[in-house]
Amino acid sequence: QVQLVESGGGLVQDGGSLRLSCAASGSIFSINAMGWYRQAPGRQRELVAVITSGGSTNYADSLKGRFTISRDNAKNTVYLQMDSLKPEDTGVYYCNADLIVLGRDYDYWGQGTQVTVSS
């Protein structure tokens, strides 16, 4: 069974920082892209950032310069460093991974971790 387990969410004040982690486990042959998405109350889920297995990154334009995505391929883990957080960054943050499992390509999601930024 494959799982994506997120951690690192919580409550932080305006201007603060948080670091999210997402570890993939199970019968994984390889991992292609990994990424983070978020969903604020009453809004659609949106892309935050993605990173390929080779380390190429792509960010939502509005988040460039404040958020940094990275990964440790040896640990099957992706990270999201969030700095200068704003109240509008509040939401549930979801990890996503494109995994090769038993020869097939699957799109997996984590359960989500809550990030709340107070003003």
Side-chain angles (χ1 to χ4, degrees):
Q1 183 178 0
V2 175
Q3 283 188 310
L4 297 181
V5 179
E6 298 129 332
S7 60
L11 174 65
V12 65
Q13 289 188 331
D14 191 354
S17 297
L18 283 175
R19 189 188 191 215
L20 305 182
S21 300
C22 172
S25 63
S27 301
I28 300 168
F29 177 74
S30 65
I31 304 177
N32 295 324
M34 301 184 80
W36 290 95
Y37 293 72
R38 69 183 184 184
Q39 187 166 18
R43 301 188 66 177
Q44 289 188 329
R45 191 174 298 188
E46 63 177 1
L47 170 72
V48 174
V50 294
I51 184 168
T52 68
S53 58
S56 297
T57 59
N58 187 40
Y59 295 89
D61 287 342
S62 62
L63 301 177
K64 289 180 181 177
R66 295 195 298 122
F67 289 15
T68 304
I69 190 170
S70 61
R71 65 190 280 175
D72 184 334
N73 290 332
K75 295 181 179 179
N76 288 343
T77 299
V78 63
Y79 305 97
L80 185 68
Q81 177 67 40
M82 303 185 293
D83 298 317
S84 302
L85 283 162
K86 305 174 182 180
E88 52 263 43
D89 294 317
T90 294
V92 179
Y93 284 68
Y94 296 92
C95 174
N96 174 262
D98 178 14
L99 307 176
I100 305 299
V101 179
L102 299 178
R104 297 183 65 180
D105 195 343
Y106 293 92
D107 190 41
Y108 277 89
W109 291 89
Q111 79 285 358
T113 185
Q114 177 70 44
V115 171
T116 303
V117 184
S118 63
S119 57

